[in-house]
Amino acid sequence: MISLILSWLVTTISFLIIARLPFLGIEIDSPGKAAIAAAVFGILNAILLPVLTILAFPFILITLGLFLFVVNSIIFELAAAIVPGFRLRYGFWSSTMGSLALAVINSILMAIVPPII
């Protein structure tokens, strides 16, 4: 349970960081909206990622896994559509670059945070 909360907090911080990068075109109104966006993104990832991966498996196979970036962008864009105060200025490009930046920043922050047993 603690690791789930820690992961959510790291994702919230990651959302706040990517909202500060001007070239991505991602706008988040407040830290509270970032926390809600992180929770919605996590729930959508848990529910939709396996389904979309199964449906898009032929495309993923043909592109040698690169289509997973598109699947992650779709989930990122859905999270932005659900959460008020979380906007993508440049549409699909913001969601693609935002999902990539979120993955990189999340990985860096999770490497810094000590594991909880």
Side-chain angles (χ1 to χ4, degrees):
M1 184 69 175
I2 301 248
S3 63
L4 180 68
I5 293 171
L6 182 66
S7 175
W8 172 63
L9 287 173
V10 166
T11 306
T12 301
I13 293 168
S14 298
F15 268 109
L16 289 171
I17 291 171
I18 65 172
R20 296 283 185 210
L21 301 174
F23 57 89
L24 293 179
I26 296 169
E27 300 171 354
I28 299 177
D29 289 343
S30 66
K33 297 291 182 177
I36 293 170
V40 169
F41 184 73
I43 291 168
L44 288 175
N45 246 348
I47 295 171
L48 288 181
L49 187 64
V51 174
L52 290 176
T53 303
I54 290 171
L55 290 175
F57 184 71
F59 296 111
I60 294 169
L61 196 61
I62 289 170
T63 62
L64 302 175
L66 291 177
F67 198 75
L68 283 171
F69 290 124
V70 175
V71 172
N72 283 334
S73 298
I74 291 169
I75 293 173
F76 197 84
E77 199 160 349
L78 279 172
I82 292 172
V83 178
F86 174 31
R87 292 175 298 283
L88 303 174
R89 187 180 311 153
Y90 307 124
F92 182 74
W93 296 112
S94 287
S95 67
T96 302
M97 297 307 291
S99 66
L100 284 172
L102 183 69
V104 168
I105 294 171
N106 244 359
S107 297
I108 292 169
L109 290 178
M110 287 304 271
I112 293 171
V113 173
I116 295 177
I117 298 173

